[in-house]
Amino acid sequence: MSPDTEHWQRWIEPLLALLAADPADQSAWSRAHRVRTAAVAEEAGFGWRLAAGLADRGALGPAALADLAEIGRRCDEAARRAGPGHWADALAADPVWDEVRVLARRVLVGRLGSWDLPLPRRVLPPEVHG
């Protein structure tokens, strides 16, 4: 497996599967793993940086890269609005997550032919009790 394929399958694809999932599935996953909105935004930023490297090597097209950059930007903005809150609460309160969902689905369909993937087992950082 090439490093480009490994980066896609290990980091970008699972994140996009989560961002593309139906709202009820996102909310249930988020509550089960106690994920904060900031963690989702951080993962989206990391995914975009990996995608930029893939695009530099010709492994990802400009349209997908532009969508991933927009996902990162919108996730970051939504995290700033949500503050330290849970992602499940932000999903219900901020319509930007619907926009992110459309973008994530478009990238997945362009790359894999389908957006409806299993939710990742990898867990984003949980809330910190302190």
Side-chain angles (χ1 to χ4, degrees):
M1 178 182 315
S2 77
D4 290 343
T5 301
E6 183 179 353
H7 284 131
W8 171 265
Q9 290 178 343
R10 184 171 181 192
W11 297 105
I12 301 170
E13 188 176 297
L15 172 66
L16 290 176
L18 183 59
L19 295 175
D22 289 326
D25 294 334
Q26 289 173 325
S27 183
W29 190 94
S30 175
R31 288 189 193 290
H33 296 291
R34 299 182 350 213
V35 173
R36 299 249 179 215
T37 305
V40 175
E42 288 171 13
E43 286 288 306
F46 179 69
W48 180 79
R49 288 189 298 279
L50 284 176
L54 294 176
D56 287 346
R57 293 187 295 280
L60 191 64
L65 183 61
D67 284 344
L68 287 162
E70 188 64 16
I71 288 169
R73 186 184 70 73
R74 291 181 187 200
C75 288
D76 190 49
E77 288 175 5
R80 282 196 302 272
R81 283 192 298 273
H86 292 274
W87 189 45
D89 297 332
L91 284 166
D94 194 337
V96 76
W97 296 108
D98 295 329
E99 298 164 12
V100 167
R101 189 174 302 106
V102 169
L103 292 165
R105 287 178 179 185
R106 186 164 57 199
V107 173
L108 287 171
V109 168
R111 176 94 179 192
L112 305 174
S114 175
W115 64 265
D116 193 14
L117 303 174
L119 292 177
R121 285 178 275 214
R122 179 173 59 90
V123 178
L124 299 170
E127 66 181 326
V128 176
H129 297 285

